[in-house]
Short mmCIF file of all heavy atoms in Angstrom, two decimals:
data_model
loop_
_atom_site.label_atom_id
_atom_site.label_comp_id
_atom_site.label_asym_id
_atom_site.label_seq_id
_atom_site.Cartn_x
_atom_site.Cartn_y
_atom_site.Cartn_z
N MET B 114 8.49 -95.83 -168.54
CA MET B 114 8.46 -97.01 -167.82
C MET B 114 9.66 -97.87 -168.19
O MET B 114 10.20 -97.84 -169.38
CB MET B 114 7.23 -97.83 -168.27
CG MET B 114 5.86 -97.27 -167.67
SD MET B 114 4.53 -97.94 -168.60
CE MET B 114 4.38 -99.50 -167.76
N ASN B 115 10.31 -98.58 -167.25
CA ASN B 115 11.31 -99.36 -167.64
C ASN B 115 10.95 -100.68 -168.18
O ASN B 115 9.70 -100.97 -168.04
CB ASN B 115 12.37 -99.53 -166.47
CG ASN B 115 11.77 -100.26 -165.30
OD1 ASN B 115 10.93 -101.17 -165.54
ND2 ASN B 115 12.15 -99.99 -164.00
N VAL B 116 11.87 -101.47 -168.71
CA VAL B 116 11.50 -102.67 -169.31
C VAL B 116 10.65 -103.67 -168.53
O VAL B 116 9.67 -104.24 -168.88
CB VAL B 116 12.78 -103.43 -169.85
CG1 VAL B 116 12.47 -104.80 -170.38
CG2 VAL B 116 13.47 -102.61 -170.96
N ALA B 117 11.13 -103.74 -167.22
CA ALA B 117 10.34 -104.73 -166.36
C ALA B 117 8.96 -104.26 -166.17
O ALA B 117 7.94 -105.06 -166.12
CB ALA B 117 11.05 -104.73 -164.86
N ASP B 118 8.70 -102.92 -166.04
CA ASP B 118 7.27 -102.51 -165.92
C ASP B 118 6.50 -102.69 -167.21
O ASP B 118 5.25 -102.91 -167.12
CB ASP B 118 7.31 -101.04 -165.52
CG ASP B 118 7.69 -100.82 -164.13
OD1 ASP B 118 7.68 -101.85 -163.31
OD2 ASP B 118 8.28 -99.76 -163.71
N ILE B 119 7.12 -102.37 -168.33
CA ILE B 119 6.43 -102.60 -169.67
C ILE B 119 6.02 -104.01 -169.76
O ILE B 119 4.83 -104.26 -170.10
CB ILE B 119 7.33 -102.17 -170.92
CG1 ILE B 119 7.50 -100.53 -170.79
CG2 ILE B 119 6.77 -102.50 -172.17
CD1 ILE B 119 8.58 -100.07 -171.74
N VAL B 120 7.03 -104.92 -169.72
CA VAL B 120 6.62 -106.35 -169.87
C VAL B 120 5.84 -106.84 -168.70
O VAL B 120 4.90 -107.71 -169.00
CB VAL B 120 8.02 -107.23 -169.91
CG1 VAL B 120 7.62 -108.62 -169.96
CG2 VAL B 120 8.86 -106.68 -171.08
N GLY B 121 5.78 -106.28 -167.48
CA GLY B 121 5.05 -106.89 -166.40
C GLY B 121 3.71 -106.18 -166.35
O GLY B 121 2.78 -106.66 -165.52
N GLU B 122 3.37 -105.20 -167.15
CA GLU B 122 2.13 -104.40 -167.05
C GLU B 122 0.98 -105.29 -167.36
O GLU B 122 0.05 -105.36 -166.49
CB GLU B 122 2.01 -103.21 -167.87
CG GLU B 122 0.93 -102.38 -167.49
CD GLU B 122 0.74 -101.14 -168.47
OE1 GLU B 122 1.41 -100.99 -169.48
OE2 GLU B 122 0.06 -100.23 -168.02
N PRO B 123 1.03 -106.25 -168.37
CA PRO B 123 -0.18 -107.16 -168.48
C PRO B 123 -0.29 -108.13 -167.36
O PRO B 123 -1.36 -108.45 -167.06
CB PRO B 123 0.39 -107.95 -169.81
CG PRO B 123 1.30 -107.15 -170.45
CD PRO B 123 1.97 -106.33 -169.34
N LEU B 124 0.85 -108.41 -166.68
CA LEU B 124 0.72 -109.42 -165.59
C LEU B 124 0.06 -108.75 -164.44
O LEU B 124 -0.79 -109.29 -163.85
CB LEU B 124 2.13 -109.80 -165.15
CG LEU B 124 2.88 -110.47 -166.25
CD1 LEU B 124 4.49 -110.72 -165.69
CD2 LEU B 124 2.51 -111.85 -166.54
N ASP B 125 0.33 -107.45 -164.23
CA ASP B 125 -0.35 -106.67 -163.19
C ASP B 125 -1.84 -106.54 -163.43
O ASP B 125 -2.67 -106.67 -162.51
CB ASP B 125 0.20 -105.32 -163.06
CG ASP B 125 1.65 -105.31 -162.72
OD1 ASP B 125 2.25 -106.40 -162.35
OD2 ASP B 125 2.44 -104.25 -162.90
N GLU B 126 -2.17 -106.29 -164.61
CA GLU B 126 -3.62 -106.18 -164.98
C GLU B 126 -4.49 -107.37 -164.90
O GLU B 126 -5.58 -107.31 -164.55
CB GLU B 126 -3.67 -105.60 -166.56
CG GLU B 126 -3.23 -104.11 -166.71
CD GLU B 126 -3.98 -103.19 -166.01
OE1 GLU B 126 -5.31 -103.36 -166.08
OE2 GLU B 126 -3.57 -102.04 -165.55
N HIS B 127 -3.87 -108.60 -165.36
CA HIS B 127 -4.67 -109.76 -165.55
C HIS B 127 -4.40 -110.82 -164.53
O HIS B 127 -5.20 -111.73 -164.50
CB HIS B 127 -4.49 -110.28 -166.96
CG HIS B 127 -5.14 -109.29 -167.93
ND1 HIS B 127 -6.45 -109.42 -168.15
CD2 HIS B 127 -4.69 -108.39 -168.73
CE1 HIS B 127 -6.89 -108.51 -169.20
NE2 HIS B 127 -5.68 -107.97 -169.55
N MET B 128 -3.30 -110.77 -163.85
CA MET B 128 -2.98 -111.90 -162.91
C MET B 128 -2.65 -111.25 -161.57
O MET B 128 -2.39 -110.11 -161.43
CB MET B 128 -1.82 -112.75 -163.43
CG MET B 128 -2.15 -113.35 -164.79
SD MET B 128 -0.50 -113.92 -165.52
CE MET B 128 -0.44 -115.58 -164.85
N SER B 129 -2.68 -112.12 -160.46
CA SER B 129 -2.12 -111.70 -159.20
C SER B 129 -1.01 -112.40 -158.73
O SER B 129 -1.27 -113.63 -158.35
CB SER B 129 -3.33 -111.66 -158.13
OG SER B 129 -4.06 -112.95 -158.28
N LEU B 130 0.16 -111.90 -159.23
CA LEU B 130 1.48 -112.63 -158.88
C LEU B 130 2.17 -111.89 -157.65
O LEU B 130 1.86 -110.86 -157.44
CB LEU B 130 2.36 -112.60 -160.14
CG LEU B 130 1.93 -113.18 -161.35
CD1 LEU B 130 2.90 -113.08 -162.42
CD2 LEU B 130 1.64 -114.74 -161.21
N SER B 131 2.86 -112.77 -156.88
CA SER B 131 3.61 -112.18 -155.93
C SER B 131 4.90 -111.52 -156.60
O SER B 131 5.05 -111.66 -157.76
CB SER B 131 4.11 -113.26 -155.01
OG SER B 131 5.16 -113.95 -155.60
N ARG B 132 5.57 -110.70 -155.77
CA ARG B 132 6.60 -109.89 -156.42
C ARG B 132 7.70 -110.73 -157.11
O ARG B 132 8.18 -110.56 -158.09
CB ARG B 132 7.31 -109.18 -155.27
CG ARG B 132 7.49 -107.59 -155.58
CD ARG B 132 7.85 -106.92 -154.47
NE ARG B 132 8.56 -105.87 -154.76
CZ ARG B 132 9.27 -104.97 -153.82
NH1 ARG B 132 9.13 -105.39 -152.61
NH2 ARG B 132 9.73 -103.84 -154.21
N ASP B 133 8.04 -111.91 -156.36
CA ASP B 133 9.02 -112.80 -156.83
C ASP B 133 8.58 -113.57 -158.14
O ASP B 133 9.36 -113.66 -159.01
CB ASP B 133 9.55 -113.85 -155.82
CG ASP B 133 10.23 -113.14 -154.69
OD1 ASP B 133 10.66 -112.14 -154.79
OD2 ASP B 133 10.34 -113.84 -153.65
N GLU B 134 7.24 -113.94 -157.99
CA GLU B 134 6.74 -114.70 -159.28
C GLU B 134 6.73 -113.71 -160.55
O GLU B 134 7.04 -114.04 -161.45
CB GLU B 134 5.24 -115.07 -159.01
CG GLU B 134 5.21 -116.31 -158.10
CD GLU B 134 3.78 -116.45 -157.75
OE1 GLU B 134 2.95 -115.59 -157.64
OE2 GLU B 134 3.37 -117.64 -157.19
N ARG B 135 6.44 -112.43 -160.23
CA ARG B 135 6.28 -111.41 -161.29
C ARG B 135 7.70 -111.32 -161.89
O ARG B 135 7.89 -111.35 -163.06
CB ARG B 135 5.78 -110.06 -160.74
CG ARG B 135 5.65 -109.08 -161.77
CD ARG B 135 5.00 -107.79 -161.12
NE ARG B 135 4.90 -106.77 -162.11
CZ ARG B 135 5.89 -105.77 -162.26
NH1 ARG B 135 6.97 -105.88 -161.53
NH2 ARG B 135 5.66 -104.80 -163.04
N LEU B 136 8.74 -111.18 -161.07
CA LEU B 136 10.03 -110.85 -161.53
C LEU B 136 10.51 -112.18 -162.26
O LEU B 136 11.18 -112.05 -163.23
CB LEU B 136 11.05 -110.62 -160.37
CG LEU B 136 12.39 -110.12 -160.87
CD1 LEU B 136 12.16 -108.67 -161.66
CD2 LEU B 136 13.29 -109.90 -159.69
N ALA B 137 10.10 -113.35 -161.83
CA ALA B 137 10.63 -114.64 -162.55
C ALA B 137 9.99 -114.64 -163.88
O ALA B 137 10.66 -115.08 -164.86
CB ALA B 137 10.26 -115.81 -161.62
N ARG B 138 8.72 -114.34 -163.92
CA ARG B 138 7.97 -114.41 -165.21
C ARG B 138 8.72 -113.26 -166.19
O ARG B 138 8.85 -113.65 -167.33
CB ARG B 138 6.50 -114.06 -164.98
CG ARG B 138 5.66 -113.96 -166.22
CD ARG B 138 5.50 -115.38 -166.91
NE ARG B 138 4.79 -115.25 -168.09
CZ ARG B 138 4.98 -116.08 -169.16
NH1 ARG B 138 6.03 -116.97 -169.11
NH2 ARG B 138 4.30 -115.81 -170.30
N ILE B 139 8.99 -112.09 -165.71
CA ILE B 139 9.65 -111.20 -166.52
C ILE B 139 10.91 -111.62 -167.07
O ILE B 139 11.30 -111.57 -168.31
CB ILE B 139 9.80 -109.75 -165.82
CG1 ILE B 139 8.35 -109.16 -165.64
CG2 ILE B 139 10.65 -108.87 -166.57
CD1 ILE B 139 8.40 -108.02 -164.55
N HIS B 140 11.78 -112.24 -166.24
CA HIS B 140 13.06 -112.77 -166.58
C HIS B 140 12.90 -113.82 -167.68
O HIS B 140 13.52 -114.01 -168.74
CB HIS B 140 13.74 -113.19 -165.37
CG HIS B 140 14.46 -112.15 -164.66
ND1 HIS B 140 14.96 -112.33 -163.35
CD2 HIS B 140 14.60 -110.84 -165.02
CE1 HIS B 140 15.35 -111.18 -162.86
NE2 HIS B 140 15.25 -110.31 -163.89
N GLU B 141 11.88 -114.65 -167.40
CA GLU B 141 11.53 -115.77 -168.39
C GLU B 141 11.21 -115.28 -169.75
O GLU B 141 11.67 -115.77 -170.72
CB GLU B 141 10.34 -116.55 -167.85
CG GLU B 141 10.09 -118.03 -168.26
CD GLU B 141 8.89 -118.58 -167.49
OE1 GLU B 141 8.89 -118.63 -166.23
OE2 GLU B 141 7.85 -118.66 -168.24
N LEU B 142 10.46 -114.06 -169.75
CA LEU B 142 10.01 -113.49 -171.08
C LEU B 142 11.24 -112.91 -171.77
O LEU B 142 11.36 -113.06 -172.95
CB LEU B 142 8.97 -112.49 -170.81
CG LEU B 142 7.50 -113.10 -170.41
CD1 LEU B 142 6.66 -111.95 -169.81
CD2 LEU B 142 6.88 -113.64 -171.63
N LEU B 143 12.02 -112.29 -170.94
CA LEU B 143 13.22 -111.60 -171.58
C LEU B 143 14.09 -112.64 -172.12
O LEU B 143 14.56 -112.43 -173.27
CB LEU B 143 14.04 -110.82 -170.46
CG LEU B 143 13.23 -109.48 -170.12
CD1 LEU B 143 14.20 -108.70 -168.96
CD2 LEU B 143 12.88 -108.53 -171.24
N ASP B 144 14.30 -113.75 -171.52
CA ASP B 144 15.01 -114.75 -171.99
C ASP B 144 14.43 -115.38 -173.34
O ASP B 144 15.11 -115.67 -174.31
CB ASP B 144 15.14 -116.08 -171.14
CG ASP B 144 15.94 -115.83 -169.88
OD1 ASP B 144 16.62 -114.77 -169.83
OD2 ASP B 144 15.74 -116.53 -168.84
N ALA B 145 13.12 -115.55 -173.42
CA ALA B 145 12.45 -116.08 -174.51
C ALA B 145 12.62 -115.18 -175.82
O ALA B 145 12.78 -115.54 -176.87
CB ALA B 145 10.97 -116.17 -174.37
N VAL B 146 12.72 -113.84 -175.70
CA VAL B 146 12.96 -112.99 -176.86
C VAL B 146 14.44 -112.68 -176.94
O VAL B 146 14.74 -111.72 -177.84
CB VAL B 146 12.08 -111.73 -176.69
CG1 VAL B 146 10.53 -112.04 -176.69
CG2 VAL B 146 12.46 -110.82 -175.51
N GLY B 147 15.31 -113.21 -176.23
CA GLY B 147 16.62 -112.93 -176.33
C GLY B 147 17.25 -111.64 -175.92
O GLY B 147 18.14 -111.10 -176.63
N LEU B 148 16.65 -111.12 -174.82
CA LEU B 148 17.22 -109.99 -174.20
C LEU B 148 17.78 -110.34 -172.88
O LEU B 148 17.44 -111.30 -172.22
CB LEU B 148 16.10 -108.96 -173.90
CG LEU B 148 15.48 -108.21 -175.13
CD1 LEU B 148 14.40 -107.31 -174.75
CD2 LEU B 148 16.54 -107.28 -175.78
N ASN B 149 18.92 -109.66 -172.55
CA ASN B 149 19.70 -109.79 -171.30
C ASN B 149 18.80 -109.58 -170.14
O ASN B 149 18.28 -108.39 -170.12
CB ASN B 149 20.95 -108.95 -171.36
CG ASN B 149 21.95 -109.46 -170.29
OD1 ASN B 149 21.60 -109.78 -169.18
ND2 ASN B 149 23.16 -109.41 -170.76
N ARG B 150 18.82 -110.36 -169.16
CA ARG B 150 18.03 -110.06 -167.87
C ARG B 150 18.50 -108.83 -167.18
O ARG B 150 17.60 -108.13 -166.60
CB ARG B 150 18.14 -111.19 -166.89
CG ARG B 150 17.47 -112.48 -167.27
CD ARG B 150 17.71 -113.49 -166.21
NE ARG B 150 16.98 -114.68 -166.69
CZ ARG B 150 16.62 -115.56 -165.74
NH1 ARG B 150 16.88 -115.53 -164.45
NH2 ARG B 150 15.82 -116.71 -166.22
N SER B 151 19.58 -108.33 -167.37
CA SER B 151 20.18 -107.12 -166.70
C SER B 151 19.55 -105.86 -167.28
O SER B 151 19.64 -104.72 -166.75
CB SER B 151 21.63 -107.16 -166.87
OG SER B 151 22.07 -107.03 -168.07
N PHE B 152 18.88 -106.11 -168.49
CA PHE B 152 18.25 -104.96 -169.13
C PHE B 152 17.00 -104.53 -168.47
O PHE B 152 16.36 -103.47 -168.75
CB PHE B 152 18.05 -105.24 -170.63
CG PHE B 152 19.21 -105.34 -171.47
CD1 PHE B 152 18.99 -105.87 -172.79
CD2 PHE B 152 20.40 -104.90 -170.99
CE1 PHE B 152 20.08 -106.06 -173.61
CE2 PHE B 152 21.57 -105.05 -171.87
CZ PHE B 152 21.34 -105.70 -173.09
N ALA B 153 16.46 -105.38 -167.54
CA ALA B 153 15.09 -105.12 -167.01
C ALA B 153 14.82 -103.77 -166.38
O ALA B 153 13.82 -103.23 -166.46
CB ALA B 153 14.84 -106.15 -165.89
N ASN B 154 16.04 -103.16 -165.95
CA ASN B 154 15.73 -101.81 -165.31
C ASN B 154 16.10 -100.67 -166.25
O ASN B 154 16.11 -99.47 -165.84
CB ASN B 154 16.67 -101.63 -164.00
CG ASN B 154 16.16 -102.64 -162.97
OD1 ASN B 154 14.93 -102.82 -162.75
ND2 ASN B 154 17.08 -103.27 -162.24
N ARG B 155 16.28 -101.00 -167.50
CA ARG B 155 16.55 -99.81 -168.44
C ARG B 155 15.30 -99.33 -169.03
O ARG B 155 14.38 -99.88 -169.01
CB ARG B 155 17.56 -100.38 -169.52
CG ARG B 155 18.84 -100.71 -168.89
CD ARG B 155 19.86 -100.87 -170.01
NE ARG B 155 21.07 -101.47 -169.68
CZ ARG B 155 22.04 -101.62 -170.36
NH1 ARG B 155 21.95 -101.54 -171.83
NH2 ARG B 155 23.26 -102.31 -169.92
#
Side-chain angles (χ1 to χ4, degrees):
Chain B
M114 286 166 80
N115 66 28
V116 172
D118 288 337
I119 289 171
V120 176
E122 197 179 14
L124 303 173
D125 301 340
E126 290 289 326
H127 289 279
M128 296 167 90
S129 43
L130 297 178
S131 74
R132 230 172 155 184
D133 291 345
E134 282 169 342
R135 179 174 180 269
L136 192 65
R138 177 73 184 140
I139 290 168
H140 283 162
E141 203 177 295
L142 289 163
L143 292 181
D144 291 345
V146 298
L148 286 173
N149 196 319
R150 288 180 177 202
S151 63
F152 291 167
N154 294 320
R155 295 196 189 174

